Amino acid sequence: MDKRPGKIFPRNLTARASYQAAGNPAVTRLEDVVANCYPGLELDVRNFERRFFPGLIFEFVARDDNTASYTEPNRYGAWLRYVDYLLDPELQSEAPEAKRLLVDLMVHAGALGANGDWYLEWVEQGGRRLSMSLHNPDNPDYPLDGLYVWRLLRGLAPGALKIGLKRRAGGKEIVFEGWRRHFTDPVTGVINGAYQPGELLQSLCSPWQHDFRDCACMYWASNHPDAVFQQIEPGEPTLPGGQAADPLLANLKIDWLRAERSRDVTAAAGNTIAKNRPYQFDHFQINQEWQSLNVVLHDREIGSVYIPPREGLANPFASPEELARELREKLGPMEMALALEYLYARFSLLTPEEAGKSRWSTMTEDVTFIRGCLMIIATCEMQHLRWVNELLWILYDAGLTASYEPVLHPAAKLPDGKGGWRESSLRRLTPDALNDFINIERPSGFLDGAYSKVIATLRSPIYPAHAVELAERIDSDGVDHYSRFREVEAALKAYDKAEPPFPYLRALEVGGGEPVAGALAIYQNILDDLDEGYKEYARERFAEGAPLVNAARSKMNDLLKIGEKLAASGVGIPFWPQK
Amino acid sequence: MDRVVEIYLLPPIAVARVGGSDNPLEAFEWDTDVSTHGAHQTVIKPAVSLEVGADGSLRPYIPNVIRFRDGDQLRPAAPFFELWLRIQSSREGDIREERATPALLAQFGASLDNLQFTVTVANCKAQRRTGSAACSFIARLEVCGADHERKPLLATSPYTPGLEPLVYPDRPIPLGAFQFMKPAATTAMGVNLSQIRVRFTPARGEVYGPPTAIAGPSSPGQPGEIVAAAILPGVVHEIVPARNRILNPNTPWSSYIMNADGQTDPQPCDSYDGADVGDWRSWGVVDDTCDGIIAAQLVVGGARFVATARVLSGVPDYAPDRRPFVSLAADLADRELPPVAVSRQTFDETSAEIADLFARVFETAGLMNLDATRYKAIEININDPPPPNYPGLPQIDERMMTRDDAPYVDLTPVLLDSSRVAQESVGVPFQPLPYSAVASAAHAPLTDLDSLRDFLRTHKDHVKRLIRPPYGRFSQFEEAPTVTPNPLFRDPRVSRDGLHDMRMPPFMRDSDENPLSLNWREYDMLMRFIDFLTDEAVVAAPPAAEFPGTNTDG
């Protein structure tokens, strides 16, 4: 991620907009304003096009919405609201085209003002003329809906164009030659002076709180969240990174617009608007209650105050070679072993269809959750393996290590979370296995501590600047995995007294021989592709490496399918030789 | 002697955000969390803030914490604007830009007495709907250079005989406040305190109405649903607090009903208190947001210089560390600037911009209820008869983003492990929002630049197919559009282009109620960047649709 201050990118900003004034929080910047609108949040960008042509103000008359019927088809389109040549600053210019247009407008102002049914009939720019009254996709006999017209005008470039106006009652056209105005001044960056105070917000909801409650569009999540994590109360334990230590609190997404803010009556957000609506602030109620809505940081509700976190630092490795050794001999193989352990554990779970046949009414939903969870975590570990390899080839490319060889073998041993080690093991998701997963991902456990050292090391300026980002992401994911596994633990408590035990698991044993030959062949192909692909990447031959990595990914999907089929018949893929 | 050639205000446009607290929000900037467990996500970082003294003077400081509310009142965002001068050198004629300070003005024989600020802000929401100018309310203020008192912006309605004013002259609506800060001849914490600054403080976020806007039944329906006029279900809530029921009940705003014949309502039309319930009659409610102009006038040696800036005063941002991926900044750039130059020379810069785009996507995805928006999008597409789809395009019904939406769907069926094809997602205890979870998981790795570049390289065709094309430039539209959609751009006259599907961004609405896309400029940049990653030679060709007569070298 780019580290430039303020995340400001001048190339993509209009004149002077990159400036950051002292004392102004980032939320005063235009990068924080949502642009898509129906009608909008901070402004309605469609209001710019009302004055796209100097001296004329249009309204975009449209149906209720784009699926509504055409109740007044002859009224839809870009309707000329009024002529404003007196106050439009672009018509006060000495430029010949401005003077010409001003005269034209003055000459026709009477005709345009005498009747109230003048509409934009066509627009021509760059030799291309588009009709605003033909080619309505909903009915060829109707002129274009106002919002269709707006969209066509939205595509205009600043500069010369011609327009034709015509009365809906019929009659001659009036043609004007002019230009699409600049909406911001190319030098000062200020919004064009033609827009009067109040014009840009005029089509927003009145009051705005109405929109907060009632917008059907749900597109402002970055400013008006849909679903968030709950606030952590002072004194409640947290994990490094700030998540709640309680896995339910850490992972439960709740509806941000809920009316009851107490945690006691807060449930998970529903997966449809209808499910959430009964528990949300009502119309009118929101007029008073909008300040009860929580501010959200890092996707989690906070109270009144945001306290920037402080960081504790680990001791770095003494040299790039020591760092590389850790990555190559310990962390990379561990990531691979974990990915495969998690994947195997996932294969051991009943599918929702299989669980549906059991006597447990909750099992279908629980295995759905746990299988999804394990799949995401296993995929994440595979990404980590990739990133560890990437760190190694970054070190090599920077001349900090002598060589790079892909790390694509699983570790034989993994930390047991109690200061010792255990054998890497392809097991079903029994409580013991789950406990091992929790322990290895535990913050301040071995992995977390190891990556903290990696991060501390990579912060030295001798290392390429972006390398540390990869390590930070791996470490941060670990905290999420820990929290997720604890949620799985909570879910499986429902079955901890079951007889026979583990009713959510398949009878799965590590297979061998012919039944698993096909799966192992695919697995080996994946490793071969990754091996070659990563070597190409290390040589900065990205075009050559990309198809190989892509092929490996594709084959992974095949492996998942075949693995699932084998598991359904009780056979687990032997990702490594069993003792 | 050097000469003043221009004065200007910075920033040229700023957003104020309402809040009930007397204390404005302190300054913070967007930064990257480089802590061990920060995952390199965007965070807010306290920045130099300016405390305003009783006399209008400023004291800079960096807050240790950022306080968002005082008690139950949110802090408003109140932007500062700085005055700058462009000065022509008398020696060589070159132009330099300097902060306007009393000392600098003195060099030109001027002082604060030669400076005047005019602020004009207005709320025209009721006017827009009723067509009566007397339903708008406007505040105007003039402040001379020596006056550093904070002044309220009190808005009333303009009217003439025969028109009823919505806001009475003796009961104005405060739209905020304006203050000309008192310069001090010193610099502290890197802030030149002698620079001429002003501050706009937004209003408190209150609602106002006529005496009749007491209480009413709130619609229990989903957004956009209309409750039958014969029944009035739903809880009765207070609409406007008693102290704010000060508006004129005899204006068209109190009798406005959406969708009446002959009206030119803004769209969506049900955007006022009173819509969609009962007889749809407006309760006559307005708010205290506004937009307007701050103008500075400086007279130097008999010559008048004018600078303006725009202020948009609106709603709070409740997730200040998350940024929209379709922003006003980008929208203006899309309207005004030529296409982005993508080349070997600009590779690093373009990479950073693309990476930031995907970071913003991730930031939005993390707060979305994608399950609910997907459900809604399918509902929006439903029609009778069902709209036609076209070969090669994504599904537009309950198959959206399921296994049956190949080749567009990629990760979702694997991660969800679901063969279910239905409008409603399979929300279960512990994972009530499966699509939302997958969205975050899918986008998280793409916030890393190297991973993103690799992803774009290895998935070039998939990404190009998966990103929804924007609506075209005018020059791209055919005079007579075809029925079949164009894969490179959308056309509002092509019905299929207005239907929701799983292309990215999925299930979000745009300004004309149609599916959202990246804007044209960002889409073009992304597509050419992808091509550049895979074949530099391809990118040497200029983009298909440029602004005529503009330089595309960025």
Side-chain angles (χ1 to χ4, degrees), chain A residues 11 19 32 37 46 49 64 66 180 195 275 290-291 304 371 387 448 459 472-473 537 550, chain B residues 34 37 40 68-69 82 259 267 310 317-318 335-336 353 417 424 447 451 454 458 511 513:
Chain A
R11 215 163 57 135
Y19 184 77
D32 197 51
C37 317
R46 296 171 298 177
E49 270 71 35
D64 270 0
N66 68 1
R180 192 218 87 176
Y195 295 92
K275 287 184 185 176
W290 60 276
Q291 295 196 89
S304 306
R371 284 175 65 92
W387 281 340
D448 183 53
R459 286 191 179 158
E472 286 165 357
R473 288 173 196 280
Y537 280 171
N550 213 22
Chain B
V34 296
H37 299 93
H40 245 72
F68 283 94
R69 66 174 77 233
E82 301 169 356
N259 266 346
Q267 292 303 333
R310 285 276 175 164
D317 176 358
Y318 283 91
R335 291 160 184 277
E336 305 287 80
E353 290 159 355
D417 185 31
E424 188 172 330
T447 59
S451 300
D454 185 53
T458 55
S511 302
E513 207 193 354

Side-chain angles (χ1 to χ4, degrees), chain B residues 96-113:
Chain B
R96 68 182 188 277
E97 297 178 330
E98 289 200 35
R99 298 174 187 275
T101 65
L104 185 61
L105 293 185
Q107 290 181 25
F108 298 101
S111 72
L112 295 183
D113 291 337

Side-chain angles (χ1 to χ4, degrees), chain B residues 288-454:
Chain B
D288 54 13
T289 61
C290 61
D291 72 271
I293 300 169
I294 297 171
Q297 272 191 74
L298 176 67
V299 176
V300 178
R304 188 192 311 276
F305 297 91
V306 179
T308 61
R310 285 276 175 164
V311 65
L312 309 171
S313 177
V315 309
D317 176 358
Y318 283 91
D321 64 347
R322 297 296 180 247
R323 304 162 297 150
F325 60 87
V326 177
S327 73
L328 177 60
D331 189 80
L332 289 174
D334 182 58
R335 291 160 184 277
E336 305 287 80
L337 301 181
V340 178
V342 179
S343 65
R344 173 126 310 273
Q345 289 72 32
T346 65
F347 180 72
D348 287 346
E349 195 168 6
T350 309
S351 292
E353 290 159 355
I354 297 284
D356 190 70
L357 171 63
F358 276 81
R360 300 197 310 271
V361 168
F362 171 71
E363 289 167 22
T364 297
L367 292 172
M368 271 184 79
N369 185 335
L370 188 64
D371 298 75
T373 58
R374 175 180 170 274
Y375 188 99
K376 178 75 182 177
I378 295 169
E379 198 169 78
I380 290 170
N381 281 356
I382 290 172
N383 217 331
D384 183 22
N389 204 356
Y390 294 88
L393 286 181
Q395 304 295 351
I396 52 175
D397 51 24
E398 70 276 1
R399 290 172 288 176
M400 280 201 247
M401 212 179 256
T402 68
R403 283 181 192 274
D404 290 356
D405 211 351
Y408 293 88
V409 78
D410 181 25
L411 273 181
T412 310
V414 173
L415 293 182
L416 288 183
D417 185 31
S418 173
S419 56
R420 177 184 159 103
V421 173
Q423 185 175 4
E424 188 172 330
S425 64
V426 184
V428 297
F430 299 101
Q431 190 51 286
L433 305 178
Y435 276 104
S436 307
V438 166
S440 285
H443 281 285
L446 301 181
T447 59
D448 168 59
L449 179 54
D450 287 335
S451 300
L452 173 63
R453 283 199 283 231
D454 185 53

